[in-house]
Amino acid sequence: MNRIVAKAEYSREPAVKMMQIEAPKIAAKAKGGQFIVLRCSEQGERIPLTIADTDPEKGLVTLVFQEVGKSTAMLGQLEVGDEILDFIGPLGKPTHMDDYGTVLCVAGGIGIAPVHNIAKELKKHGNKVIMVMGARTKDLLFWEDKMRAVSDELYITTDDGSYGRHGLVTAVEQELLEKDRDQGDINLVIGIGPPIMMKFVAKTSEPFGVKTFVSLNPIMVDATGMCGACRVTVGGKTRFVCVDGPEFDGHQVDFDELMTRQRIYPEQEKASLELFRQKQQGCDCGCGCDNGGLS
Amino acid sequence: MSAEQKKKIPRQPMPEQEAKVRARNFEEVPYGYSPEMAMLEASRCLQCKKPKCVEGCPVNVKIPEFIGLIAGGDFVGAARKLKETNALPAVCGRVCPQESQCESKCVVGKKGEPVAIGRLERFAADYERNQGAVTMPAIAPATGKKVAIVGSGPAGLTCAGDLIKLGHEVTVFEALHKPGGVLVYGIPEFRLPKAIVQAEVDYLKGLGIKLVENFVVGMLDTVDELLEQYDAVFVGTGAGLPVFMNLPGENLNGVYSANEYLTRSNLMKAYLFPEYDTPVVKGKRVAVFGGGNVAMDASRTALRLGAEKSYIVYRRSMEEMPARNEEIHHAEQEGVEFALLANPVRIIGNDQGWVTGVECVRMALGEPDESGRRRPVPVEGSEFIIDVDTVVVSIGNGPNPLIPNTTPGLELSRWGNINADEETGQTSRKGVFAGGDIVTGAATVIMAMGAGKKAAAAMHEYLMGQ
């Protein structure tokens, strides 16, 4: 169970990786917008990752993740054939599907992966999908083909101008919403990416009065509503992302609080990652012992 | 020994780790009785013909019988006697509020101190386990009926244990990666070692119970989907939804629900960070809001994580505090400070979004309210600030909403708990039974076990009548 059947590296600095995991029941159930929680080892953390794609026939769940701390680095070191110790899902509410007309999807960084899964379903529900996908630089862009396949129009931006349009996704969002102002075709914006990007995607759409969903990614532990770690303020009320979300009305979310709460454990995360890297490098004595280079 | 002689024997104290030492480690606080102590304590039991203690026990443990066996030196026999009615004696011997249940009815306790029933229960169960003398009870011939149990906490495990003995095929679904529910995520190691929970779970597995971890019923399969594969379903999902106070500053960094604080520490072993990967804020000055057992667990955990100051902030006085006396006493011994008749009104933070203090208001007690406790009333203008860097909100839990939200036709109370018959656990849905905190709201381990037992009996009747 939970065997990794495919793996790819999309970029090295930072490391962004894709994995396909055998999880037939989850693959059969999961819908766009939902996530899983996984744990790699007995000492490991429970970490949430949004589902990027599923193949119900083959029983596969696709994840795309960036290695930011020890837990994602450990996950990244697993190879095809390895099993993930715990793999739990689907969790969270699926994206509400409807015939919205035209939906503007704005995807940033590894947010590209979950937006793909949602766009795929939006197409099935008869929507026209306009896609804006962006990254810091060309090397960090992935899934251009897959995204094109689920979009009616596709725009690409890079912060450094190395590919597509030079600039931020929100600049294109702004233009498209302005262009649409008279037609009023765009009835929904979906923005997924780093919190700061989602904040500005929501800020950009707000004056146009277009409903905007964002998918939040706070710290979680159990992810079934039990611990309250993932609480966010939406419309002045405390909500739990794991059971009430992960998608919320972007115009109502307190992004600043979300970003502050994501930085609760910076020192611990740093210490943990450093220790892990040191152990990876192995011992100084050259004998291959498990001294971890810590002596 | 005559009754008069028996009455002269004092209640045997429980040897325990010294307070200053234990407040800095996660090892179990009481060491347990030696066989000699247990036999002496057991000899205090009057072996009443009509034992009141049994009436005080939600699962009707055969108390005089098992204590009689201990007095006679048959410790393994005592453990087996216990297990006839109680699937988790090593757990109950540690966390049951015996003083308000069996021991409160003990005749010996009328004029002196009651027989230490809980400590004896713990002794017998530990003895059997440590001796490797655990045996499996007889199992009825297979009935061909299949049952799904949702949640592996005390209610679910008890229900599962009873049903498998009756010959049904039992599968227990657990959302987390370890079975035990609140016994593993909530109750700290120093009060209930996890190895003991694991041993009790292994015993149930030995009986043939199938355990499926990492399975979130309601998300992966709904109750309705389980009903397509099983003849009956028991829902024991507990009170797993933290309640916050809606105070300004409650989402500042350093503010935890008790569930999160304890889950990080217990289930995820954050106290062993970085050996274990899950971190927890090791605050220097910690305030815990609330006065229940969970609040005591959190305040004592804070000390063990390295806090210099750990406060219980409770709006009534010590007298009204819902925690067990033993827990309050242990917390006090370890250095937890009690800010009584104080109610938090605001959590104060710095510009980095971190907690720096709690503003409280002094309270006075008025007339008793519907809970029977005297109603606290704020004293105007009495605000004061406690400097803390960590806050744990421990004022209770609501019902976890996953099953109620995904099971159409399941009748709920106005608080979102599942409505179930008190005697049978029967819900508004045919073939669906429920018990424990998801029905009653947050209660005790033994109450949940009692509900699991009653439901198992009713489910057996239902299954055999099908």
Side-chain angles (χ1 to χ4, degrees), chain B residues 29 113 145 148 179 256 287-288 311 343 358 361 385 391 453 462:
Chain B
V29 170
E113 284 202 278
K145 301 287 182 188
Y256 288 105
V288 178
Y311 300 97
N343 203 27
V358 180
V361 62
I385 289 169
V391 167
K453 269 195 108 59
Y462 168 79

Side-chain angles (χ1 to χ4, degrees), chain A residues 81-145:
Chain A
D82 289 343
E83 283 181 16
I84 295 173
L85 180 64
D86 301 311
F87 200 73
I88 308 127
L91 298 166
K93 290 184 175 160
T95 306
H96 180 70
M97 282 297 151
D98 211 333
D99 184 0
Y100 296 100
T102 300
V103 181
L104 174 58
C105 294
V106 188
I110 58 162
I112 290 168
V115 169
H116 168 266
N117 208 24
I118 295 165
K120 194 166 92 173
E121 243 174 276
L122 283 169
K123 288 297 293 173
K124 275 191 215 152
H125 281 77
N127 291 284
K128 179 180 174 191
V129 173
I130 305 176
M131 182 72 68
V132 185
M133 60 188 275
R136 245 179 27 236
T137 183
K138 179 176 186 254
D139 293 343
L140 296 177
L141 276 171
F142 58 91
W143 282 14
E144 187 183 336
D145 291 354

